Amino acid sequence: MLFDWSFALEILPILAQAAVITIEATLIGFVLALLLGLALALARMSRNPFISFPAAGFIEFIRSTPLLIQIFFLYFVFPKFGIVLPALVAGILALGLHYSTYCAEVYRAGLENVPRGQWEAATALNLAPMATFRDIILPQAIPPIIPALANYLVALFKETPLLSAIAVLELMQTAKIIGSDTFRYLEPITLVGLFFLVMSLVSAALIRQGEAWLRRRRS
Amino acid sequence: MTIRLAFLIALMGFTGGLMVASFAGFREFIPGLLMGAWVTVQITVLAAILAVVAAMAAGLAKLSRIRVLRWIANIYVEIFRGTSALVQLFWLYFVLPHFGISLSAMTVAVVGLGLNVGAYGAEVVRGSIQAVAKGQYEAATALNMSRSLTMRRIIIPQAVAAMLPPWGNLFIELLKATALVSLITITDLTFRAYQLNQVTLRTVEIFTLVLVVYLALSLVITIGMRALERRVGADFGTGRVL
């Protein structure tokens, strides 16, 4: 059985629509991961053990267990408490939560690389701790870790097909539905694979350029 | 690292204890979940073996002087790192039969996940071979060793010591990725959990228990890899002393 180009062209618009959902889930999930990750990193670095220990435990727990189960967990558990989440929302929450623990470790590395003297100088200038953190520390901590964060963005993007397990109509699920309707799996699944491949290669190239740009800016 | 490990074990003991104490009647889940866990362990071990072999072959091919070998390795690594693991499993499971190659779900799981992790491992292998000090090559040349003998006796043993920690991480990623095989009809731990949840609707208990089992399995990998690192580190005088 050969690749049927006319069939591929025919299903392309349907897949393109599904790709929008995939990209939506990726972007919203990643924003969630960035915000939650920063909070987790700060909690993890807290001097209060009652804050830092649970944060460290949470990070380790989420990182060492499969995302798929976390997706099922969120999808099936919320209705128990009377909150019915649409599959897409539960999926995005799970993606964001899972990758926030990876981002937290990246943030931590970035924050720890800012020299202590910066904090001391800000104290000497009578800046409030919050202002110091926002205006002095974060602007120095973030740029060096952007490539690492971007790598997790790509990783998160590649995990979105897992949302098909809770019937979110993203690319993979749409391809599977096309497959079961027409008994042609070759074209839809291959196209989905190609889409991911192209996106990953393009973003890898962009990240490399970004890294080079950062290096030039720093030197 | 030691603190982190002790901490993880404490965390697991705590959650495990909590489960035993609070979920009366959770015992009925255990036999089904254990059977699922056994399937998960089998897939993890077999895929890990394939991943190491594929990574070694592709990593060495990437450093080869033969251009065709470099190309093949690059294409393999880019394809398997550039697309999702789930897409790869579905492709092997649903599309390959169209070409007349019907593999059992179990074979697809092992081959798919093994090749996927192997692609990531290839970069680790290449990186750690390139990280071996230049002087080692020069010394081997000075001793009149051939290129293959240098690789076999001098470079690769040192590279292996350096690549163990990243392999530990990859094996944990592999363990987590085995959850995907539940979507191609394999009755692994995740599939059992899903099934039990459909039947009993005791979502919180079942999924928490399963998450703890995965955590325990990843701890086993961490501890095993640390033992291996110590062993290999002692042989080559590198790595941690304790």
Side-chain angles (χ1 to χ4, degrees), chain A residues 112-165:
Chain A
E112 278 173 354
N113 272 336
V114 178
R116 277 197 78 76
Q118 296 289 320
W119 278 103
E120 288 157 8
T123 312
L125 290 169
N126 210 16
L127 282 172
M130 198 53 219
T132 309
F133 184 73
R134 199 186 55 224
D135 298 334
I136 312 288
I137 306 299
L138 266 191
Q140 296 184 74
I142 301 293
I145 58 170
I146 287 174
L149 290 176
N151 277 326
Y152 282 125
L153 171 64
V154 179
L156 188 154
F157 171 64
K158 283 188 290 186
E159 301 258 41
T160 54
L162 266 67
L163 299 188
S164 65

Side-chain angles (χ1 to χ4, degrees), chain A residues 155-192:
Chain A
L156 188 154
F157 171 64
K158 283 188 290 186
E159 301 258 41
T160 54
L162 266 67
L163 299 188
S164 65
I166 52 170
V168 175
L169 282 174
E170 43 67 71
L171 264 179
M172 195 69 241
Q173 181 69 7
T174 310
K176 263 175 72 186
I177 291 174
I178 295 173
S180 57
D181 283 352
T182 61
F183 297 107
R184 292 196 69 102
Y185 283 99
L186 170 62
E187 292 85 2
I189 296 185
T190 308
L191 284 177
V192 170

Side-chain angles (χ1 to χ4, degrees), chain B residues 4 15 23 95-96 98 104 110 118 155 185 204 227:
Chain B
R4 187 178 148 248
T15 13
F23 301 145
V95 177
L96 266 194
H98 286 304
S104 72
V110 170
I155 306 300
T185 70
V204 181

Side-chain angles (χ1 to χ4, degrees), chain B residues 92-105 107-108:
Chain B
L92 292 175
Y93 192 63
F94 290 114
V95 177
L96 266 194
H98 286 304
F99 295 104
I101 308 166
S102 283
L103 302 174
S104 72
T107 315
V108 166

Side-chain angles (χ1 to χ4, degrees), chain A residues 53 60-61 63-66 68-69 73 76 80 102 158 161 172 176 185-186 190 193 196-197 200-201, chain B residues 4 7 78 81-84 86 90-91 95 98 120 173 176 179-180 201 203 207 210-211 214-215 218:
Chain A
F53 269 62
E60 286 301 338
F61 188 78
R63 276 170 63 111
S64 321
T65 51
L68 183 60
I69 307 232
F73 191 93
F76 292 122
K80 298 249 150 190
Y102 286 90
K158 283 188 290 186
M172 195 69 241
K176 263 175 72 186
Y185 283 99
L186 170 62
T190 308
F196 278 100
L197 186 60
S200 304
L201 289 178
Chain B
R4 187 178 148 248
F7 177 77
E78 290 304 331
R81 291 203 324 167
T83 58
S84 318
L86 188 59
F90 279 167
W91 205 90
V95 177
H98 286 304
Y120 287 91
E173 290 298 323
K176 286 160 57 182
L180 302 183
L201 292 176
T203 310
F207 283 121
V210 167
L211 284 173
Y214 274 108
L215 188 63
S218 76

Side-chain angles (χ1 to χ4, degrees), chain A residues 201-217:
Chain A
L201 289 178
V202 169
S203 39
L206 284 178
I207 292 171
R208 258 200 303 279
Q209 286 206 333
E211 268 175 336
W213 180 78
L214 275 173
R215 258 200 306 278
R216 271 201 307 278
R217 216 187 64 140

Side-chain angles (χ1 to χ4, degrees), chain B residues 161 164 227-240:
Chain B
L164 285 181
L228 198 64
E229 275 168 46
R230 269 206 300 278
R231 184 63 231 290
V232 174
D235 287 353
F236 293 101
T238 56
R240 278 186 294 270

Side-chain angles (χ1 to χ4, degrees), chain B residues 165-187:
Chain B
W167 268 113
N169 287 336
L170 283 177
F171 287 149
I172 289 178
E173 290 298 323
L174 171 62
L175 169 70
K176 286 160 57 182
T178 57
L180 302 183
V181 304
S182 62
L183 302 176
I184 53 167
T185 70
I186 293 179
T187 45

